[in-house]
Amino acid sequence: MTNDPGFTCSCCGSQHPELPMSYSTTAPYAWEESFSHRADSLLSPEQCVIRAQHYFVKGLVEIPVVGSDDVFSWAVWVSLSRENFARAADRWNTPGREAEEPYFGWLSTDLLLYSPSTINLKTYVHTRPVGQRPLIELEPTNHPLAVEQRTGITPDRVREIAAAVLHPSADSV
């Protein structure tokens, strides 16, 4: 797939120049713009605190693409306990942080292409070397996202996701 110069969109029929292999959200599901003016709240590209009560980190749900060496990823937010968030934050720029045990968390991004909702799926946050986002491992359930993470997705599924994300008013996948 990496040699693919793009894809023909099933929604609009246009040739798009690239087949995106990752998507990201800017904030956890619970974030409201009004929080940005509060002293007890923070939203950065990698961490979020809401009212000094809810703590989040951004990581990647990685999904192998069947028949290739490619990996598709969703950059998502996961809530952590105050203690685990503090521990992760203390080690954020520390070499060797990848030796940390995984942190338990709850998925806090609603990926609308999946039903039922992805909100509050159980996860494990695996810290990686400095400069890399954590790997988000979903609990092995029958939820479609968890199944895709375990079994992989086809290149056709990557194209379906691209069409749905690029054209959100189209029927969801």
Side-chain angles (χ1 to χ4, degrees):
M1 277 183 45
T2 54
N3 295 332
D4 190 347
F7 74 106
T8 302
C9 183
S10 64
C11 288
C12 68
S14 296
Q15 176 71 20
H16 291 281
E18 293 183 29
L19 179 59
M21 293 300 290
S22 64
Y23 296 95
S24 183
T25 57
T26 56
Y29 183 73
W31 179 262
E32 296 175 11
E33 190 55 37
S34 64
F35 297 147
S36 63
H37 304 293
R38 296 178 60 107
D40 62 354
S41 297
L42 159 84
L43 177 62
S44 78
E46 307 299 327
Q47 299 175 348
C48 179
V49 176
I50 298 176
R51 295 183 174 171
Q53 297 174 5
H54 305 282
Y55 305 90
F56 308 88
V57 295
K58 196 174 207 179
L60 300 175
V61 173
E62 294 182 343
I63 303 171
V65 179
V66 176
S68 76
D69 293 330
D70 292 330
V71 174
F72 177 87
S73 63
W74 293 106
V76 298
W77 293 90
V78 173
S79 67
L80 297 177
S81 68
R82 173 184 286 215
E83 296 77 20
N84 283 341
F85 180 83
R87 186 167 176 85
D90 286 347
R91 289 157 181 73
W92 201 257
N93 293 310
T94 304
R97 69 183 192 167
E98 63 273 16
E100 283 287 296
E101 291 292 319
Y103 304 118
F104 175 80
W106 300 95
L107 191 62
S108 299
T109 298
D110 192 10
L111 299 173
L112 299 176
L113 277 67
Y114 295 93
S115 180
S117 173
T118 56
I119 295 293
N120 289 330
L121 292 177
K122 293 179 182 178
T123 69
Y124 290 95
V125 178
H126 297 267
T127 306
R128 297 200 264 199
V130 173
Q132 293 183 31
R133 282 196 170 131
L135 172 68
I136 308 303
E137 175 190 4
L138 297 168
E139 179 183 55
T141 66
N142 288 329
H143 189 281
L145 180 59
V147 171
E148 286 183 348
Q149 187 178 44
R150 283 193 314 275
T151 64
I153 58 176
T154 64
D156 284 342
R157 174 66 174 147
V158 176
R159 287 187 278 279
E160 287 175 8
I161 291 169
V165 172
L166 293 171
H167 304 286
S169 62
D171 291 338
S172 62
V173 177

